[in-house]
């Protein structure tokens, strides 16, 4: 099976390789070549995580061939966590299966984060390392949702973990109730182009990356 790989190349050559067939999967490396080389290992690990999370990938047993499909140069510092690219993939109309796949990946990531921090004091203290990361994650999720054209509404708990879970619920409610105009949305905020599909992939990537960082020893 041929798997498209989309490359976002930053101002100093740092590259993020997006595997959009698997929501949230992105590989950061110092160059496009290094990013492409790292993709198979990352995808293999992701396939295992999906199986463990109860959402086995339908193509897990197939031979996979990774093919560079599109390369977008941006002027941001990818090595600092920034991202900006809009791919041709993002311009396609949003379908229910796009939303379902992204939300399923976010759910797996949220469960992993909950399990990793359950019972630890840091999960209840805003100023702690874990607490501050969860607070920041919640804010980033709501910021991405605002790229759909309206500010997310709802009151979130102050404690870090419940706040993150609350932000996830806001995302679920918003994405499961897309308006007709959302399906082919193409808007620009502060000079950056956005579509609903771009919001979906950025959300899935954000929460997936945080779950991997939280669970890592």
């Amino acid at each position: 099976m041929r798997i498209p790989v989309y490359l976002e190349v930053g101002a100093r050559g740092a590259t993020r390789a997006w595997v959009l067939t698997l929501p949230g999967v992105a590989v950061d490396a110092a160059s496009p070549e290094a990013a492409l080389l790292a993709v198979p290992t990352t995808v293999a690990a992701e396939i295992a995580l999906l199986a463990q999370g109860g959402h086995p990938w339908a193509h897990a047993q197939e031979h996979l061939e990774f093919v560079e499909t599109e390369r977008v140069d941006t002027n941001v510092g990818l090595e600092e966590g920034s991202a900006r690219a809009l791919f041709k993939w993002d311009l396609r109309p949003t379908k229910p299966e796009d939303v379902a796949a992204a939300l399923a990946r976010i759910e797996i990531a949220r469960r992993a984060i909950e399990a990793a921090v359950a019972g630890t004091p840091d999960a209840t203290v805003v100023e702690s390392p874990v607490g501050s990361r969860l607070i920041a994650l919640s804010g980033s999720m709501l910021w991405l949702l605002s790229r759909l054209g309206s500010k997310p509404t709802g009151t979130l708990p102050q404690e870090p973990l419940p706040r993150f879970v609350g932000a996830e619920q806001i995302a679920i409610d918003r994405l499961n109730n897309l308006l007709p105009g959302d399906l082919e949305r193409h808007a620009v905020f502060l000079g950056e182009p956005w579509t609903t599909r771009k919001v979906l992939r950025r959300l899935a990537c954000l929460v997936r990356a945080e779950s991997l960082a939280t669970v890592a020893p």
Side-chain angles (χ1 to χ4, degrees):
M1 179 179 180
R2 291 167 66 89
I3 304 295
V5 180
Y6 298 78
L7 300 184
E8 179 174 3
V9 183
R12 292 179 288 278
T15 301
R16 180 165 299 139
W18 295 85
V19 183
L20 303 181
T21 305
L22 292 163
V25 174
V27 179
D28 291 329
S31 68
E33 296 75 18
L36 286 168
L37 283 173
V39 164
T41 299
T42 300
V43 167
E46 177 68 6
I47 290 172
L49 284 174
L50 291 174
Q52 294 170 11
H55 294 276
W57 192 44
H59 307 287
Q61 303 304 318
E62 297 182 28
H63 171 72
L64 305 179
E65 178 186 358
F66 300 95
V67 181
E68 179 182 341
T69 301
E70 184 179 1
R71 183 179 299 205
V72 175
D73 294 322
T74 66
N75 60 357
V76 299
L78 291 175
E79 63 272 28
E80 300 164 3
S82 301
R84 187 180 177 88
L86 183 77
F87 299 110
K88 292 177 182 178
W89 183 92
D90 295 313
L91 297 174
R92 301 173 189 169
T94 305
K95 298 180 180 179
E97 52 264 36
D98 300 325
V99 175
L103 289 179
R105 188 60 186 89
I106 291 170
E107 178 194 0
I108 292 172
R110 187 255 303 155
R111 294 204 310 261
I113 291 172
E114 285 183 316
V117 304
T120 65
D122 277 2
T124 63
V125 179
V126 173
E127 295 81 6
S128 70
V130 171
S132 60
R133 289 184 64 142
L134 290 174
I135 294 293
L137 175 60
S138 304
S140 295
M141 292 175 69
L142 296 184
W143 182 85
L144 285 170
L145 286 172
S146 74
R147 305 300 91 173
L148 294 176
S150 59
K151 184 177 180 180
T153 59
T155 302
L156 294 175
Q158 293 300 311
E159 288 192 0
L161 185 56
R163 189 175 186 86
F164 163 52
V165 174
E168 181 201 22
Q169 188 58 55
I170 289 175
I172 292 170
D173 293 342
R174 178 67 176 92
L175 293 170
N176 278 331
N177 293 280
L178 292 175
L179 303 173
D182 293 325
L183 302 182
E184 298 191 44
R185 170 177 295 279
H186 192 167
V188 178
F189 293 94
L190 299 176
E192 181 175 358
W194 289 88
T195 68
T196 300
R197 283 189 127 205
K198 179 176 176 178
V199 171
L200 286 172
R201 71 170 169 86
R202 290 279 300 273
L203 269 170
C205 182
L206 172 73
V207 184
R208 174 183 177 275
E210 184 60 39
S211 73
L212 295 178
T214 302
V215 173

